[in-house]
Amino acid sequence: LYWHTNRKEEAHKLFDRALKEKVTMQSAFSNKGNIFFLTDNIKAAIKAYKKADKIGKKSEITLYNLALAFLTIGKQKSAMKYLDEVLLLSPDRLEVLIMQAQLSSENKLFEKAELFYRKILELSPGHRKAMKQLITLFEKQGRFKEAIQIVESYLSDFPQDREYTLRLPDLYR
C-alpha cells in the first residue's frame, strides 16, 4: 500500500523491519526485490530475488525478475540461466522463449536460438518476428533451403503477405 501511494521510504522501512525479523516468506524478499528494481538499485534487487529463490519452491515470477535484473546490468549469460529455469517451470511461456531466442542469437548460440524460434513458431505459427529472425539466422549460416522452406510454409498460410512474397526469390541463390 505504501508503495502504491508513493510513500516509498515507508515501504522500504516496513520491508526492512520485516526482513530483520527473519521473515522466511518468499514473497517478502521478492517484493523487496521489486522495490529495489523499481528504484534502480539492481544489485540489491538481485540479492533479494536470490534470497526469495532459496525459500520454498521455485517461483516463475522471481526467476523471471532475476533474469530481467541481470539483463538490466548487461549480464546476458546470467539472465539466460534464469530464463532457462523459468522455461523448466513453464515451457510454453512465449515472452521467455522470445527473450531466450534473441539472447541466444546475440551470443552466437545459433542451435539454441533455432530451437527457441521453432518452439515460438510451433506455439504461434503466424509470429512474423520469430519467423523473420529464424530466416535471418539460416541466411547467416548459409542454410538457404531451410529459409526457403520457412517462407514457403508461411506463405501457404498467409499468401497475401507481400513482403515475404517479394523476399522469397532473393533466397534462391
Side-chain angles (χ1 to χ4, degrees), residues 117-166:
Y117 286 125
R118 287 191 183 277
K119 179 71 174 178
I120 294 164
L121 290 171
E122 176 187 313
L123 295 171
S124 180
H127 198 288
R128 291 188 82 227
K129 186 170 183 177
M131 185 191 59
K132 196 180 259 189
Q133 293 299 325
L134 186 57
I135 292 165
T136 301
L137 188 68
F138 287 151
E139 285 179 299
K140 284 180 184 176
Q141 297 175 320
R143 296 166 59 187
F144 297 104
K145 286 182 183 178
E146 290 164 285
I148 290 167
Q149 288 173 339
I150 298 282
V151 173
E152 286 177 344
S153 172
Y154 174 77
L155 288 174
S156 70
D157 293 333
F158 302 97
Q160 72 284 5
D161 191 314
R162 185 166 162 73
E163 178 185 350
Y164 283 95
T165 302
L166 295 172

Side-chain angles (χ1 to χ4, degrees), residues 31-94:
N31 287 333
K32 183 68 174 179
N34 292 342
I35 289 173
F36 283 131
F37 190 90
L38 292 171
T39 56
D40 292 325
N41 190 345
I42 305 304
K43 289 184 180 184
I46 289 170
K47 188 176 177 182
Y49 290 142
K50 282 185 174 182
K51 282 183 182 178
D53 185 45
K54 290 180 183 175
I55 298 172
K57 68 178 200 169
K58 292 287 183 183
S59 163
E60 200 176 311
I61 293 168
T62 299
L63 294 168
Y64 185 75
N65 287 342
L66 259 167
L68 291 179
F70 277 113
L71 278 177
T72 301
I73 60 172
K75 295 192 173 186
Q76 290 187 348
K77 299 230 186 225
S78 294
M80 291 171 72
K81 173 189 164 218
Y82 287 105
L83 291 172
D84 279 341
E85 288 190 46
V86 172
L87 290 174
L88 287 174
L89 298 173
S90 184
D92 294 341
R93 192 160 166 191
L94 198 58

